[in-house]
Amino acid sequence: MQLKNLMMAAVLATTATTTLSAAPVADLPDLRVEYRGWSIGSDGARQEISYAERLYRAQDQAWIEREVPAAAQKTHAHHKHGGLGHKHADVAGAPLWVQRAADGRLTVQLVDRHERRLIGIEAANYGNVGFSGSWPESYYLLDPADLPRLNAVGTARAGVQRYETRQGERTIRVTWDIAGQYAREIVSEDPNGLHGRTIKATRITAPTPAPWAQLGGYSPRDYSDLLD
């Protein structure tokens, strides 16, 4: 989620302040989203970060879940948990459940499956869990209301419209899925090939039942409890 916030900041820096889009419809596709960022330093060393998340979308709900290798999950499961457990370690990579009320207010919760708790996140702590605070960015990967302010490249073909814009020397390209209402790809790169970031989204099938329907018996907690 951290890379996503950096990418969105780069895109939206070229546009006006985002506005809330129309309420989402229930049949938009669920997505697997791959994030990759890299840079080459003055010593020639290449640093890279990459990860993938699954984004499940329903009417006014978004579930964002990091893909964690089975070996890493197994190692975590061997830890002993008591009380608040290992605090930050317990919620690293935990699913983020975002709900949007009719008035636009957001309810953001981390889902701790190990301790079976729903950890409420206040706006002041959004950055700590990699959430930008923007519903459209979470739901569509890019606010649809900003698309008219980007530069369309040609006309729509095969259900997608391409956009391109510049921020300083950096070029940002967006491939927008019109029917699915999501960014299939966002690419940001400098002309020298020293820095780059990409987001790629592909459609997936949602689990049945939905993940937010499997939270019976989870207890509510506040994120501030983890900071004590």
Side-chain angles (χ1 to χ4, degrees), residues 77-166:
H78 287 165
H79 286 247
K80 295 183 181 294
H81 302 281
L84 288 177
H86 293 285
K87 297 188 177 182
H88 293 288
D90 274 352
V91 297
L96 193 66
W97 182 23
V98 184
Q99 300 170 80
R100 180 175 181 266
D103 62 3
R105 287 185 295 181
L106 301 180
T107 299
V108 181
Q109 298 176 91
L110 280 173
V111 181
D112 182 358
R113 291 186 171 122
H114 298 284
E115 300 287 341
R116 296 182 62 83
R117 55 188 178 172
L118 294 174
I119 302 170
I121 311 296
E122 297 295 329
N125 291 315
Y126 284 171
N128 294 343
V129 297
F131 180 57
S132 70
S134 170
W135 168 258
E137 290 176 21
S138 298
Y139 200 85
Y140 306 99
L141 304 181
L142 175 68
D143 190 346
D146 287 310
L147 292 174
R149 293 189 283 270
L150 302 178
N151 301 316
V153 178
T155 58
R157 293 184 179 181
V160 302
Q161 175 64 61
R162 301 183 189 280
Y163 298 87
E164 185 171 305
T165 190
R166 292 183 66 84

Side-chain angles (χ1 to χ4, degrees), residues 1 5 15-16 19 42 45 50 54 64 74 125-127 148 155 182 188 197 199 214:
M1 281 181 270
N5 295 340
T15 66
T19 56
S42 59
S50 63
R54 292 176 178 262
I64 305 164
K74 182 177 180 181
N125 291 315
Y126 284 171
T155 58
Y182 68 95
S188 173
R197 304 186 187 105
I199 297 175
Q214 304 177 42

Side-chain angles (χ1 to χ4, degrees), residues 185-197:
E185 184 175 59
I186 302 174
V187 178
S188 173
E189 57 188 0
D190 71 4
N192 301 313
L194 298 179
H195 305 276
R197 304 186 187 105

Side-chain angles (χ1 to χ4, degrees), residues 161-221:
Q161 175 64 61
R162 301 183 189 280
Y163 298 87
E164 185 171 305
T165 190
R166 292 183 66 84
Q167 181 193 15
E169 294 186 349
R170 185 180 297 271
T171 299
I172 300 169
R173 294 186 295 272
V174 176
T175 302
W176 182 256
D177 189 300
I178 299 171
Q181 290 291 285
Y182 68 95
R184 288 191 185 181
E185 184 175 59
I186 302 174
V187 178
S188 173
E189 57 188 0
D190 71 4
N192 301 313
L194 298 179
H195 305 276
R197 304 186 187 105
T198 64
I199 297 175
K200 292 185 179 181
T202 54
R203 301 187 182 206
I204 59 174
T205 301
T208 303
W212 48 78
Q214 304 177 42
L215 303 176
Y218 278 57
S219 60
R221 284 293 179 93

